Amino acid sequence: MATTTASESSAAPALKVAILGFGTVGSAVARILCDLPAGAPIRLSHVFNRNVERKRVDWAPADVCWSSEFDSVLSSDADIIVELIGGMAPAHDYVTRALSAGKSVVTANKKLIAAHGPQLSELARKNGAALCFGASVAGGVPVIDALQDGLAGDRLYRVSGILNGTCNYILTKLESEGVTFAEALTGAQAAGFAEADPTDDVDGFDARAKLVILTRIGLKAIVPPEEVPCTSIRGVQAVDFLYAHELGATIRQISRSERKQSEVFASVQPALVPIESPMAHITGSLNLVLSSGRYGGQTAFSGHGAGGHSTAVAVVSDVVAIARGRAKAQAPHANAVSLPVSGNFESKHYIRFTVNDRPGIVAAIANVLATHSINIDALLQKPGFDREALPFVVTLEACPSALLEAAMADLRKLDFMVQPPVTMPILTKEL
Ligand SMILES: NC(=O)c1ccc[n+]([C@@H]2O[C@H](COP(=O)([O-])OP(=O)(O)OC[C@H]3O[C@@H](n4cnc5c(N)ncnc54)[C@H](OP(=O)(O)O)[C@@H]3O)[C@@H](O)[C@H]2O)c1
């Protein structure tokens, strides 16, 4: 049987699409749907938003129903509900009620899917509906479909990536312009790459939600989002890039997850990545996902991780998958099992100390590390800094991150520290 794209015509009546939330992504989705030629297999039928009157646009067909009443959209003849409100409430309630009514749902809401994806998928299955969330990770990069279908023949054991464009934008500004973290953040906000409240992005929670979804789809492991350790990028400074470059590396916010028998190792944190790694070449607001499979080795997916248009393409592609009848068979969380999660990866580490210089500092640090059975690999000190706030770096031989954390608790107490030390794992190019 021939398949159809969003713009190809089909003999069957077009499926009616209701958009909930007419913001950046919702309006971009509407624009794509309204640009489809007559006879396309999907068409925009409803737009729901609070105070919807101010959202009306002149380019939507006159028969589109604009509503601020979710109940009237739910009881309408719309076939597919596209949730683009974001956050947990009321999105969770609306998606639950739509699926319970047997309507298929497409969402870009990573928070919702990270927290409730398996339960919502099961609800969809029970009611003969589909739940698609391709836009919830890496925006326009079709990585969910790729892990679920394209690599279904492999046994994936690791997924990793640069999943937050805001962090990547800030880190690459620190690297290329030597600005402070505060200046880079203000620049990101002015350029529209960061929210007024940047917490979710810079402290890793946004990337963590995406990593949890990738872990389920790729590694078939369900882990609670709140149990995946997150480290903010707020401590990273331009000086860390000088030292990273000296070590043949750069710094990126890395989300990684690895399945080992009955346990998952996962974390979101700034990390040193070797210059020859594909992660090092992702700049600005781009995203990258790497998957590693037992049989097929490493596969990379990259592109625009956010933005109204690229995210809208992912949303409409999910709508098309439903129109083609492909989405219901996918059962995105099928075969995924709940597993305990730990952030205790073993790797080499970087520690940047900022000290009020005086004799005996290196010996004191070495002594604490030795007490915790951690071996120093190298010591790096760039000239030209004030003695009252002198940054220098110690790199460590491979050790579990939990062992280092215990040592850090002691190191932070040393009276010559003028800033909290900054630790990052030094990753290999395989990540
Ligand atoms: N923007 C991106 O690049 C991007 C990328 C990937 C995924 N996503 C995801 O896509 C979803 C939408 O993001 P967005 O950037 O389009 O957000 P947005 O611009 O803030 O749009 C949200 C829309 O929902 C409406 N809304 C909010 N709360 C509502 C409520 N209680 N009842 C009715 N309407 C409500 C808002 O109306 P008001 O105008 O009244 O606030 C607004 O029109 C989120 O889940 C986000 O994580 C976004």
Coordinates of all heavy atoms in Angstrom, one line a residue, residues 389-423:
A389 N 43.8 34.5 44.5 CA 42.7 33.7 43.8 C 43.4 32.9 42.7 O 43.1 33.2 41.5 CB 41.6 34.6 43.4
L390 N 44.2 32.0 43.1 CA 45.1 31.3 42.1 C 44.4 30.0 41.6 O 44.1 29.1 42.4 CB 46.4 31.0 42.7 CG 47.4 30.3 41.8 CD1 48.0 31.3 40.8 CD2 48.5 29.7 42.7
P391 N 44.0 29.9 40.3 CA 43.4 28.7 39.9 C 44.5 27.7 39.4 O 45.5 28.1 38.8 CB 42.6 29.1 38.7 CG 43.2 30.3 38.1 CD 44.1 30.9 39.3
F392 N 44.4 26.5 39.9 CA 45.3 25.4 39.3 C 44.5 24.1 39.2 O 43.4 24.0 39.9 CB 46.6 25.3 40.1 CG 46.5 24.7 41.4 CD1 46.6 23.3 41.6 CD2 46.1 25.5 42.5 CE1 46.5 22.8 42.9 CE2 46.0 24.9 43.8 CZ 46.2 23.6 44.0
V393 N 45.0 23.2 38.4 CA 44.2 22.0 38.2 C 45.0 20.7 38.5 O 46.2 20.7 38.3 CB 43.8 22.0 36.6 CG1 43.4 20.6 36.2 CG2 42.7 23.0 36.4
V394 N 44.2 19.8 39.1 CA 44.8 18.5 39.4 C 44.0 17.5 38.6 O 42.7 17.6 38.6 CB 44.7 18.2 40.9 CG1 45.0 16.7 41.2 CG2 45.6 19.1 41.7
T395 N 44.6 16.6 37.8 CA 43.8 15.6 37.2 C 44.1 14.3 37.9 O 45.2 14.1 38.5 CB 44.2 15.4 35.7 OG1 45.6 15.1 35.6 CG2 43.9 16.7 34.9
L396 N 43.1 13.4 37.9 CA 43.2 12.2 38.7 C 43.1 10.9 37.9 O 42.5 11.0 36.8 CB 42.0 12.1 39.7 CG 41.8 13.3 40.6 CD1 40.5 13.1 41.4 CD2 43.0 13.5 41.5
E397 N 43.8 9.9 38.3 CA 43.6 8.6 37.6 C 42.2 8.1 37.8 O 41.5 8.6 38.7 CB 44.6 7.6 38.2 CG 46.0 7.9 37.8 CD 47.0 6.9 38.4 OE1 46.6 5.9 39.0 OE2 48.2 7.2 38.2
A398 N 41.7 7.2 37.0 CA 40.3 6.8 37.1 C 39.9 6.3 38.5 O 40.7 5.5 39.1 CB 40.1 5.6 36.0
C399 N 38.8 6.8 38.9 CA 38.2 6.3 40.2 C 36.7 6.5 40.1 O 36.2 7.3 39.3 CB 38.8 7.1 41.4 SG 38.2 8.8 41.5
P400 N 35.9 5.8 40.9 CA 34.5 6.0 40.9 C 34.1 7.4 41.4 O 34.8 7.9 42.3 CB 34.0 4.9 41.9 CG 35.1 3.9 42.1 CD 36.4 4.7 41.8
S401 N 33.1 8.0 40.8 CA 32.8 9.4 41.2 C 32.3 9.5 42.7 O 32.5 10.5 43.3 CB 31.7 10.0 40.3 OG 30.6 9.2 40.3
A402 N 31.8 8.4 43.2 CA 31.4 8.4 44.6 C 32.6 8.5 45.6 O 32.5 9.2 46.6 CB 30.6 7.2 45.0
L403 N 33.7 7.9 45.2 CA 34.9 8.0 46.0 C 35.4 9.4 45.9 O 35.8 10.0 47.0 CB 35.9 7.0 45.4 CG 37.2 6.8 46.1 CD1 36.9 6.2 47.5 CD2 38.2 5.9 45.4
L404 N 35.4 10.0 44.7 CA 35.8 11.4 44.6 C 34.9 12.3 45.5 O 35.4 13.3 46.1 CB 35.8 11.8 43.2 CG 36.2 13.3 42.9 CD1 37.6 13.6 43.5 CD2 36.2 13.7 41.4
E405 N 33.6 12.1 45.4 CA 32.7 13.0 46.2 C 33.1 13.0 47.7 O 33.1 14.0 48.3 CB 31.3 12.5 46.0 CG 30.4 13.4 45.2 CD 30.8 14.9 45.3 OE1 30.6 15.4 46.4 OE2 31.3 15.5 44.3
A406 N 33.4 11.8 48.2 CA 33.8 11.7 49.6 C 35.1 12.5 49.9 O 35.2 13.3 50.9 CB 34.0 10.3 50.0
A407 N 36.0 12.5 48.9 CA 37.3 13.2 49.1 C 37.0 14.7 49.0 O 37.5 15.5 49.7 CB 38.3 12.8 48.0
M408 N 36.1 15.1 48.1 CA 35.7 16.5 47.9 C 35.2 17.1 49.1 O 35.4 18.3 49.4 CB 34.8 16.7 46.7 CG 35.4 16.4 45.3 SD 36.9 17.1 45.0 CE 36.6 18.9 45.0
A409 N 34.4 16.3 49.8 CA 33.8 16.8 51.1 C 34.9 17.3 52.0 O 34.8 18.3 52.7 CB 32.9 15.8 51.7
D410 N 36.0 16.5 52.1 CA 37.1 16.9 52.9 C 37.9 18.1 52.3 O 38.3 19.0 53.0 CB 38.0 15.7 53.1 CG 37.4 14.6 54.0 OD1 36.4 15.0 54.7 OD2 37.9 13.5 53.9
L411 N 38.1 18.1 51.0 CA 38.9 19.1 50.3 C 38.2 20.5 50.5 O 38.9 21.5 50.7 CB 39.1 18.8 48.9 CG 40.1 17.6 48.6 CD1 40.0 17.2 47.1 CD2 41.5 18.1 48.9
R412 N 36.9 20.5 50.4 CA 36.2 21.8 50.5 C 36.4 22.5 51.9 O 36.3 23.7 52.0 CB 34.7 21.6 50.3 CG 34.3 21.4 48.9 CD 32.8 21.3 48.7 NE 32.5 20.6 47.4 CZ 32.0 19.3 47.4 NH1 31.8 18.7 48.5 NH2 31.8 18.7 46.3
K413 N 36.8 21.7 52.9 CA 37.0 22.3 54.2 C 38.3 22.9 54.4 O 38.6 23.6 55.4 CB 36.9 21.1 55.3 CG 35.5 20.6 55.4 CD 35.5 19.4 56.4 CE 34.3 18.5 56.3 NZ 34.6 17.2 56.8
L414 N 39.3 22.7 53.4 CA 40.6 23.3 53.6 C 40.6 24.8 53.6 O 39.9 25.4 52.7 CB 41.6 22.7 52.5 CG 41.8 21.2 52.6 CD1 42.6 20.7 51.4 CD2 42.4 20.8 53.9
D415 N 41.3 25.5 54.5 CA 41.1 26.9 54.7 C 41.7 27.8 53.6 O 41.4 29.0 53.6 CB 41.6 27.3 56.1 CG 43.1 27.2 56.2 OD1 43.7 26.7 55.3 OD2 43.6 27.5 57.3
F416 N 42.4 27.3 52.7 CA 43.0 28.1 51.6 C 42.1 28.2 50.4 O 42.4 28.9 49.4 CB 44.4 27.7 51.2 CG 44.5 26.2 51.0 CD1 44.1 25.6 49.9 CD2 45.1 25.4 52.0 CE1 44.2 24.2 49.6 CE2 45.2 24.0 51.8 CZ 44.7 23.4 50.6
M417 N 41.0 27.5 50.4 CA 40.1 27.6 49.2 C 39.4 28.9 49.2 O 38.7 29.3 50.2 CB 39.0 26.5 49.3 CG 39.5 25.1 49.3 SD 40.2 24.6 47.8 CE 40.9 23.0 48.3
V418 N 39.4 29.7 48.1 CA 38.7 30.9 48.0 C 37.4 30.7 47.1 O 36.5 31.6 47.1 CB 39.5 32.1 47.5 CG1 40.6 32.4 48.5 CG2 40.1 31.9 46.1
Q419 N 37.3 29.6 46.4 CA 36.0 29.3 45.7 C 35.9 27.8 45.9 O 36.9 27.1 46.0 CB 36.2 29.5 44.2 CG 36.0 31.0 43.8 CD 36.3 31.1 42.3 OE1 36.2 30.1 41.5 NE2 36.6 32.3 41.8
P420 N 34.6 27.3 45.8 CA 34.5 25.8 45.9 C 35.2 25.2 44.7 O 35.1 25.7 43.6 CB 33.0 25.6 45.8 CG 32.4 26.9 46.0 CD 33.4 28.0 45.7
P421 N 35.9 24.1 44.9 CA 36.6 23.4 43.8 C 35.6 22.9 42.8 O 34.4 22.6 43.1 CB 37.3 22.2 44.4 CG 37.3 22.5 45.9 CD 36.1 23.4 46.2
V422 N 36.0 22.9 41.5 CA 35.1 22.4 40.4 C 35.6 21.1 39.9 O 36.8 21.0 39.5 CB 35.1 23.5 39.3 CG1 34.3 22.9 38.1 CG2 34.4 24.8 39.8
T423 N 34.7 20.1 40.0 CA 35.2 18.8 39.5 C 34.4 18.4 38.2 O 33.2 18.7 38.1 CB 34.9 17.6 40.5 OG1 33.5 17.5 40.7 CG2 35.6 17.9 41.8

